[in-house]
Amino acid sequence: MSESLTCDVVVVGAGVVGAACALYAARAGLDVVVVDRGAVAGGTTGAGEGNLLVSDKEPGPELELALLSARLWAELAREGLGEAVEYEAKGGVVVAGTDGALAGLEELAAGQRAAGVEAVPVPPDRLPDLEPYLAPGLAGGMHYPQDAQVMPALAAAHLLRASNARLVTGREVTAVPRGPGGAVRGVRTDRGDIHAPAVVNAAGTWGGETAARAGVSLPVLPRRGFVLVTEPLPPRIRHKVYAADYVGDVASDSAALQTSPVVEGTPAGPVLIGASRERVGFDRSLSLPALRALAAGATDLFPFLAEVRALRTYVGFRPYLPDHLPAIGPDPRAPGLLHACGHEGAGIGLATGTGRLISQALTGQVPDLDLGAFRPDRFTEEAE
């Protein structure tokens, strides 16, 4: 059955970024409809670990966005959403296995501190104070108290609920009609039109397709990643713990398989083990080399995990843009179209800041951050 709706803004995508855009737009007084061809958190969000990280960001626009987002996540937790989304202000510990890796980590931390990050050096003999089960012989580490975690699917669901936006699932956006002067007029779906003077493209890995339906280009690519999930355990891993080379893997342009150990416990007991990255299109097939590398990296950090069973694995696709920065804000090529996608593996953590910036753009407010680095048309300019 087709149905026509009218609103102030239609958000395409019911993942955590779309949910945050809906929340902050609604708080700014706008009437919001969220549309998704699947379920809430049915894409990248549902395959995420829920990381809210500042520790893995190099100084620059993404770190500024991460710090803004961290403050907003903490605000939402204080407002009462914390328990519902399993918000844990657990902090992060980044460890270095060699003196060379430690020197690189200390250099990164110095730049981060200048940008407002709290980064506390941890000598090797104090690492067991933070993580008693860590492998011996590490060169040292860095403690990041601002790192936190949420349960991604719960976060998307509760942000949407708090927004009171109208949610329309099971509808695929087939076109973004444009009127005189090129302004968008809402979206066309396979079950009716949704009329609005503003459209937010929060379609994650499919953000490029949504942009194309509005007649503009946005080079979003999928970057596949696996997560291993162990059997439930007593609390043994207190922080999010990862190896220093993870930061380099995040920033890499390589299409080949890369893995660096990222290990954290959850309130329910299972330990989550990441992180792998490779560009293989939308291939969801199981990769034994990736899973073996994840398991080996995790047991190198926490030897006790060698005796623990992995119960399942899940796969997701990070929405990747060539310069590793998301597209956030108005698209000058299509008046009324705004983008909020391309966050790669950081979308959970960057969702709140993105939502705030989108709501400010929608209502003509001065944004909390300069949107220049996130301009959606920056790739078009490079091609000219």
Side-chain angles (χ1 to χ4, degrees):
M1 186 179 82
S2 66
E3 179 186 1
S4 180
L5 298 171
T6 301
C7 58
D8 295 325
V9 55
V10 55
V11 176
V12 181
V16 72
V17 173
C21 289
L23 175 67
Y24 288 103
R27 287 186 171 186
L30 299 176
D31 179 25
V32 184
V33 170
V34 178
V35 60
D36 197 299
R37 65 184 177 188
V40 172
T44 298
T45 293
E49 291 179 72
N51 299 323
L52 316 181
L53 303 185
V54 298
S55 57
D56 66 340
K57 312 290 189 299
E58 296 177 350
E62 189 183 26
L63 179 56
E64 292 174 10
L65 179 59
L67 287 165
L68 170 63
S69 298
R71 291 194 295 271
L72 294 172
W73 275 116
E75 280 181 17
L76 291 172
R78 287 194 297 270
E79 289 172 16
L81 274 176
E83 188 175 345
V85 304
E86 296 183 5
Y87 176 83
E88 284 189 282
K90 57 168 47 174
V93 175
V94 185
V95 297
T98 66
D99 290 340
L102 183 61
L105 178 58
E106 289 170 342
E107 182 181 356
L108 171 66
Q112 292 171 324
R113 283 190 205 99
V117 173
E118 192 178 349
V120 183
V122 186
D125 61 329
R126 302 312 299 267
L127 282 172
D129 296 347
L130 293 173
E131 290 291 342
Y133 293 92
L134 263 176
L138 294 165
M142 199 71 62
H143 180 215
Y144 289 89
Q146 290 154 300
D147 281 357
Q149 184 180 10
V150 293
M151 197 289 190
L154 286 176
H158 284 282
L159 292 181
L160 281 171
R161 179 178 294 174
S163 76
N164 289 317
R166 284 176 283 171
L167 175 63
V168 182
T169 55
R171 277 204 208 184
E172 180 161 6
V173 171
T174 57
V176 181
R178 296 168 64 175
V184 302
R185 302 170 65 176
V187 299
R188 181 158 296 140
T189 80
D190 53 359
R191 291 170 52 205
D193 291 352
I194 304 174
H195 305 286
V199 173
V200 176
N201 171 18
T205 314
W206 295 274
E209 293 179 20
T210 302
R213 286 169 185 161
V216 298
S217 63
L218 193 66
V220 181
L221 297 169
R223 210 173 179 193
R224 187 173 72 182
F226 290 93
V227 174
L228 278 174
V229 184
T230 75
E231 61 188 314
L233 302 171
R236 288 184 181 173
I237 300 172
R238 301 172 178 177
H239 304 80
K240 177 188 176 62
V241 182
Y242 62 87
D245 55 355
Y246 173 77
V247 177
D249 281 0
V250 169
S252 169
D253 291 319
S254 174
L257 173 65
Q258 297 171 307
T259 61
S260 44
V262 181
V263 185
E264 62 197 312
T266 63
V271 171
L272 304 181
I273 299 169
S276 69
R277 297 168 185 273
E278 55 189 325
R279 291 215 311 269
V280 291
F282 286 101
D283 179 1
R284 301 187 70 89
S285 58
L286 194 69
S287 168
L288 284 177
L291 298 182
R292 287 194 188 105
L294 291 179
T299 54
D300 283 346
L301 280 184
F302 290 98
F304 81 89
L305 288 173
E307 306 301 321
V308 171
R309 288 179 302 163
L311 294 188
R312 64 186 180 93
T313 183
Y314 55 90
V315 63
F317 299 100
R318 303 176 182 90
Y320 162 87
L321 281 165
D323 61 0
H324 301 282
L325 289 176
I328 302 172
D331 193 323
R333 302 166 295 181
L337 176 65
L338 299 90
H339 298 280
C341 60
H343 297 78
E344 202 166 332
I348 313 293
L350 301 179
T352 48
T354 299
R356 168 74 69 87
L357 294 170
I358 289 293
S359 77
Q360 290 169 332
L362 285 166
T363 54
Q365 299 176 60
V366 177
D368 289 342
L369 301 178
D370 181 0
L371 294 181
F374 306 113
R375 279 177 63 101
D377 60 334
R378 64 191 187 268
F379 305 104
T380 309
E381 292 169 355
E382 288 172 6
E384 288 173 355

